[in-house]
Amino acid sequence: MPNGKERVRVDGRELVLTNLEKIMYPETGTTKADVLAYYAAVAPVLIPAARNRPATRKRWVHGVGTADAPGEMFFQKNLDHSTPGWVPRASITHKDRTIQYPLINDPATLTWLAQIAALEIHVPQWRVDSHGNASPPDRLVLDLDPGEGAGLAECVEVARLARTILQDVGLDPVPVTSGSKGIHLYAALDGSQSSDQISDFARELARSLEADHPDLAVSDMKKALRTGKVLVDWSQNNAAKTTIVPYSLRGRLRPTVAAPRTWRELNSPSLHQLDYQEVMKRVAAGKDPFAPVSGGRHGAGTPAPHSPHAPDHRADHPADHTLGGRAEISPEQAGDGGDTDPRLEKYRTKRDRAGTPEPFTADRHQAGDKGGTRREKFVIQEHHASRLHYDFRLERDGVLVSWALPKGVPTSKTKNHLAVQTEDHPMDYADFEGAIPKGQYGAGTVSIWDHGHYECEKWIAGKEVIATLTGAEGGGLGGPRRFALIHTGQADDQWLIHLMDPAGPHDRPGPRRPARTEDDTADEAADDADKDGDGGRREDGAETGTGAECAPDASGFSPMLATSGTLADLPDLDWQIELKWDGVRALVIGDATKIRLISRNGIDMSVSYPELTDRSRWPEQGFVADGEIIAVGRTGRPDFGLLQGRMKLSKAADVARAQESMPVRLMLFDLLFDAGQDLRRQPLSERRRRLEQFFRPSAAPVELSGVIDGDVAHILESAAELGLEGVMAKRTDGRYVGQRSRSWLKLKVERTQEVVVGGWRPGKGGRRESVGSLLLGIPDGSKLRYVGRVGSGFSTRELKELRQQLDALPRKTSPFREVPDADAADANWVSAKLVGEVTFGEWTGSGKLRHPVWRGWRLDKAPADVVADPAAGP
């Protein structure tokens, strides 16, 4: 680039580096390019030591200068307006103001700090959690600072003495040569004590060293007392104090480093402060003595430090730097993302590991790059708990930061939705679908509404998040969506989620235009939210025109039926591919006052599924839509057997109980009538466009059946891998006809066949009082063609009900054309009125089902609807 600029991409972020040849350390000729190369080299070890800690910076914009002409240093806490929006940050409230600090959680942020000549980075001994609250300290630090007449050798001697005391209370300290004159001692803590408690302990330790070794150690900052001794500065454990982070450069005449060391190194007579080149070689060789502190917590079962009661006084010690105030303390602590990560403690305490299928691991999912843009995971889950809501989860530093959306994901810029921040979830939750048992926290069914990756435009912990989410094909978002999550400033967990316009060039992750302040995007979101004059809190009905007076005549609509087919049946035409939903077909008919669900054989099913018929959840105009009612099982897949428990219910009390244990969803895939207009003569492509305009996600369990792009054979293979029934292929130019048509083809993965029950055989052993097997047929003129018998796949409940159902339909003669003697010998014949469904391996040469397994009753179908699979044979 011109003017000495270089555009680089770091960890998926684009940065512009300038003045690379500028001399930052004149005594050694170390340039800005050298500084950038150093921080790039040590990023893997520095970032864990600094992660989620508010960082203050010392900047030497024109270099550190010389002994005779020192360079000007700028001490900086707050982020300025030129900060890229993607830099992670924490908003800390002090007595008189709120300051936004950067969090050095990724290589791009570290590179940006080096670009602005932030040579020294200082952090406290505590971290912030995903809510922006400060956690208890997770490490203790002692600053061993030699006075006049003392040096590094005396600091080593005091360090050994302090190590003995720390080991006596179960702590194993790591020494860090400070890059200045002395040594820092760090020890990992378990996060069970406050900063005040740790400060008290460190103060007593310093006083103990002073009392036992008065000629070597001192705990008072007064210069007159420090000559020839080592100051044991305990004060940096105060929550308001910071210490230079391990692996940070120093802004001294030479580019020395706060370098972690081994205790063996401290015994060397040649011990000295390391410069950046020496540290780079150590890191390249795989050495990181600080890993026990930055990579984990104080060991479980080991006592945390405890100090005896002492007078409540404090020495007047100036700190290296101060944060100028205290953040609110939270009982949670950021950790390493492992199974004992304290950030997940709240998650664990709310759940019984033995009683819920939810995951308890927190494996680190590495954010990927696609097209040079950093991408973290997101998942939006539909959660049918005591009340339906959606769980909105964003990957952040190894956990899923989570919000519950009671009103669902907003679909309009004019309406904000409430977002209630909940506990962080483990990363494995991003793949979780299933049923949380009754009596467990969050009992109900969880399914993935959409998932994918997001680009983070801005993240201020506890205050604001702006991100663009790109979901899966056919997912609930329906394409990339840009959202802002804004804390209301009221209760800690109360946020609003706002749908924003797609990002323009100045909004995309990367360098931001100087003229655009870091609060502009938040202002844009707030302005958009307030355009409707109610502060963005309006959550009323859909924006569709009413048309309620145009009520459809339900009697004139019949469902269109598909024909079984194979890949060879798809000619070179345009086909729309959708998943085949394993449930019950339903026409959804809405007029001015109510919603009705009509089965394919004309039965009103509305009373069985009240969660689908809440009129306020649907557009106001009259309409007829087509869809499938499904129940999702523990595997996260449609479970037709589970749906059986809802199909037969009609009493309000029974239905209410079943809504929690057997929640259902309605997958919409067609629109037949809308606001006075009959759409059935329109091609499918136009009906689909109208359906997408008509449908607005709401708290009701209704979704659009997604359209899947790609090779049909591959889609069918994927459906098989996911354990789904198959796919539907629909001609995009096809009209909607209320009968079976080859414009709709069903391509099945698992072979299923609808059958008519014509008889039963008695059971044996435990089934003596029930049914051993059912005799099955397919209509063939006035009789049934016998296709075999099925005796497996029945639930205990079904077996109890089966005999009663069959005894009510006795018949003296066989309804079949012919039945093998072995099957007819002890058969009880019944009227051919009951339709069921089985899965099977294949058709035999004689036209029988091989290895059939019962799937359940098809109460939505009549015997005349049953047709044979094309491969049924003779």
Side-chain angles (χ1 to χ4, degrees), residues 278 320 497 558 566 733:
E278 293 172 302
D320 276 359
I497 183 169
S558 298
T566 67
D733 62 348

Side-chain angles (χ1 to χ4, degrees), residues 25-46:
Y25 294 87
E27 188 168 309
T28 57
T30 305
T31 66
K32 187 175 181 180
D34 295 327
V35 170
L36 284 159
Y38 169 75
Y39 275 126
V42 301
V45 289
L46 186 151

Side-chain angles (χ1 to χ4, degrees), residues 345-362:
E345 184 62 26
K346 191 173 182 180
Y347 174 90
R348 291 189 290 266
T349 57
K350 288 182 173 221
R351 292 164 176 82
D352 177 6
R353 190 184 292 255
T356 177
E358 296 168 281
F360 281 79
T361 54

Side-chain angles (χ1 to χ4, degrees), residues 62 134 147 194 297 363 391 396 472 476 547 573 596 655 690 701 706 859:
H62 302 295
S194 68
R297 298 183 299 151
D363 296 337
D391 294 314
R396 192 69 174 177
L573 298 172
R596 287 181 294 157
V655 172
R690 291 286 296 267
L859 302 181

Side-chain angles (χ1 to χ4, degrees), residues 502-582:
H506 58 277
D507 296 311
R508 295 191 183 105
R512 301 181 72 180
R513 299 187 304 184
R516 184 176 174 84
T517 71
E518 72 178 345
D519 290 324
D520 284 345
T521 314
D523 292 341
E524 173 194 334
D527 289 345
D528 289 341
D530 286 335
K531 284 179 181 177
D532 53 5
D534 60 0
R537 293 180 175 271
R538 197 181 75 200
E539 294 183 354
D540 47 16
E543 301 168 70
T544 322
T546 62
E549 68 284 355
C550 302
D553 179 9
S555 64
F557 292 85
S558 298
M560 182 170 175
L561 305 177
T563 302
S564 294
T566 67
L567 290 173
D569 295 321
L570 298 181
D572 188 17
L573 298 172
D574 288 331
W575 294 84
Q576 175 178 300
I577 307 300
E578 303 172 43
L579 290 178
K580 186 179 186 303
W581 299 107
D582 190 10

Side-chain angles (χ1 to χ4, degrees), residues 49-117:
R51 188 182 303 278
N52 287 329
R53 302 179 193 275
T56 57
R57 292 85 67 203
K58 278 186 172 182
R59 297 175 59 192
W60 283 265
V61 177
H62 302 295
V64 299
T66 64
D68 296 330
E72 185 177 7
M73 186 273 290
F74 300 92
F75 177 63
Q76 189 170 12
K77 297 181 183 180
N78 207 4
L79 290 171
D80 56 36
H81 294 321
S82 64
T83 304
W86 47 257
V87 170
R89 61 198 79 191
S91 183
I92 307 296
T93 300
H94 305 292
K95 291 180 180 179
D96 57 344
R97 58 177 174 157
T98 297
I99 294 178
Q100 288 186 15
Y101 296 87
L103 303 175
I104 305 173
N105 291 357
D106 55 76
T109 298
L110 187 58
T111 301
W112 171 74
L113 289 172
Q115 158 61 24
I116 63 172

